[in-house]
Amino acid sequence: MHLLMIFLVSTIMFILGFNGFVSHADNTNPIPTKEYVVNDYVNVLSNQTKEQIIQQEKQYQKTDSKPQIVVMTIKSTNGQSIDDYANDLLQHDRWHFGKKGLDNGVLILFAQNNGNNNVRISTGYGVEDILTDAQSNDILMKNKFLLKSSKKSNIDEGIRNVFNQVSKIISKRYANKSLQQIKKEQTEKQKNDYVILFLALITIAIIIFIIIKLSKNNNHHNGSGPSGGKSGWLLPFLIGTSSGHNSSSDFGGFGSSGGFSDSGGGGDFGGGGSSI
């Protein structure tokens, strides 16, 4: 009887724990709506805003590049920061969007969070250069008053404004260009990035070499250790500066096999974005 009781208690605890796990998984990986690009789980978006997002998506799907802007509203991030929640969300296959290989998707995420009204713009690798972290932050800050409001109509207007400003930037690159043009631009951008990185590394290496050389010469003349030289203090400063480069591109690649009504794609995420 004692063993039976232990077995029953263990089974009940397992079931409760499993249900909790499923519930958490559902909360952090919601099921897309039929429209896919509009996921208003807390009912704050007006029909006008929803229709505007859907119509823009239909226009994007007529292009070769098929960018996507997904708008999602949720009740809570379940104790996570909105940045972490978005990153976790975008690890799930069902939320990979944009065109595969171009990584040209954007997520606009709104979370009520007990009246805190947190909002995040997350960008794919392919749009980080045109929709930078600074630009995303600027868009959010311009609409902060509306987004942080307790009035549903204000929140709706704020999200619509954010969407319009983001779509304007995305359309400028993708709406009227062939796939060949876009891929050529991306390739050139990658080459430029590699050249800049290479030159930066060479410059840092030369600076460090010069500082070490000056430190040794100074130590030879003064008989002091590296920290006693006139320029020795610069070395850790420069090393710290170069290694402290902000790589907080919160989010990165989207991919899509195409469809609009209920699908995204298969790309990965990594890098840029901003939140309030």
Side-chain angles (χ1 to χ4, degrees):
M1 180 65 69
H2 181 68
L3 291 175
L4 180 60
M5 288 294 295
I6 293 175
F7 174 76
L8 289 173
V9 170
S10 300
T11 301
I12 292 170
M13 291 181 67
F14 172 79
I15 292 172
L16 291 174
F18 179 76
N19 287 338
F21 173 79
V22 171
S23 176
H24 177 72
D26 288 342
N27 287 335
T28 56
N29 186 18
I31 298 173
T33 63
K34 180 181 177 182
E35 291 78 17
Y36 190 78
V37 291
V38 179
N39 303 272
D40 185 21
Y41 298 118
V42 291
N43 194 32
V44 296
L45 300 180
S46 65
N47 290 334
Q48 176 190 353
T49 299
K50 292 178 182 178
E51 186 62 23
Q52 191 168 337
I53 297 168
I54 291 169
Q55 290 303 317
Q56 180 64 77
E57 172 63 8
K58 288 180 178 179
Q59 292 302 312
Y60 283 153
Q61 289 301 309
K62 294 177 182 178
T63 67
D64 290 337
S65 55
K66 293 181 173 59
Q68 283 184 304
I69 304 173
V70 171
V71 178
M72 182 184 298
T73 69
I74 58 173
K75 185 174 183 178
S76 171
T77 57
N78 305 310
Q80 290 183 291
S81 69
I82 195 166
D83 295 0
D84 290 341
Y85 184 96
N87 289 337
D88 288 348
L89 179 81
L90 293 167
Q91 297 305 311
H92 296 289
D93 288 342
R94 64 176 59 162
W95 293 114
H96 287 198
F97 40 88
K99 188 173 180 64
K100 186 175 182 179
L102 294 182
D103 303 333
N104 55 357
V106 179
L107 171 68
I108 299 172
L109 176 65
F110 171 86
Q112 286 179 327
N113 282 339
N114 296 318
N116 289 320
N117 291 8
N118 302 117
V119 191
R120 176 168 179 77
I121 299 173
S122 295
T123 56
Y125 285 125
V127 298
E128 285 182 355
D129 61 319
I130 59 170
L131 181 56
T132 64
D133 295 359
Q135 286 174 303
S136 295
N137 183 69
D138 184 57
I139 291 172
L140 291 175
M141 292 304 294
K142 284 180 178 177
N143 294 283
K144 185 175 181 179
F145 174 78
L146 294 170
L147 295 169
K148 293 289 186 178
S149 174
S150 58
K151 292 180 63 176
K152 183 177 173 180
S153 59
N154 285 347
I155 296 171
D156 172 65
E157 182 182 351
I159 294 175
R160 185 168 64 250
N161 289 348
V162 171
F163 174 82
N164 287 336
Q165 290 165 40
V166 168
S167 65
K168 184 177 180 180
I169 293 171
I170 298 301
S171 297
K172 188 175 181 180
R173 165 168 286 181
Y174 295 104
N176 300 308
K177 293 182 181 179
S178 68
L179 197 57
Q180 186 177 4
Q181 284 178 301
I182 294 167
K183 286 184 175 180
K184 183 179 179 181
E185 288 179 1
Q186 265 196 339
T187 301
E188 290 176 352
K189 176 185 175 296
Q190 288 174 348
K191 288 180 180 178
N192 291 336
D193 289 344
Y194 287 139
V195 170
I196 292 171
L197 177 62
F198 176 75
L199 292 176
L201 291 174
I202 291 296
T203 303
I204 292 170
I206 292 172
I207 291 172
I208 292 175
F209 174 80
I210 292 172
I211 291 173
I212 292 174
K213 193 72 174 176
L214 289 173
S215 297
K216 286 183 178 179
N217 290 339
N218 190 63
N219 294 339
H220 176 73
H221 291 300
N222 296 335
S224 59
S227 61
K230 293 180 181 179
S231 57
W233 62 275
L234 286 172
L235 180 59
F237 171 78
L238 284 173
I239 293 175
T241 302
S242 63
S243 62
H245 172 69
N246 180 14
S247 58
S248 73
S249 39
D250 297 74
F251 180 75
F254 295 79
S256 174
S257 54
F260 154 59
S261 63
D262 59 359
S263 66
D268 296 324
F269 296 86
S274 185
S275 57
I276 58 172

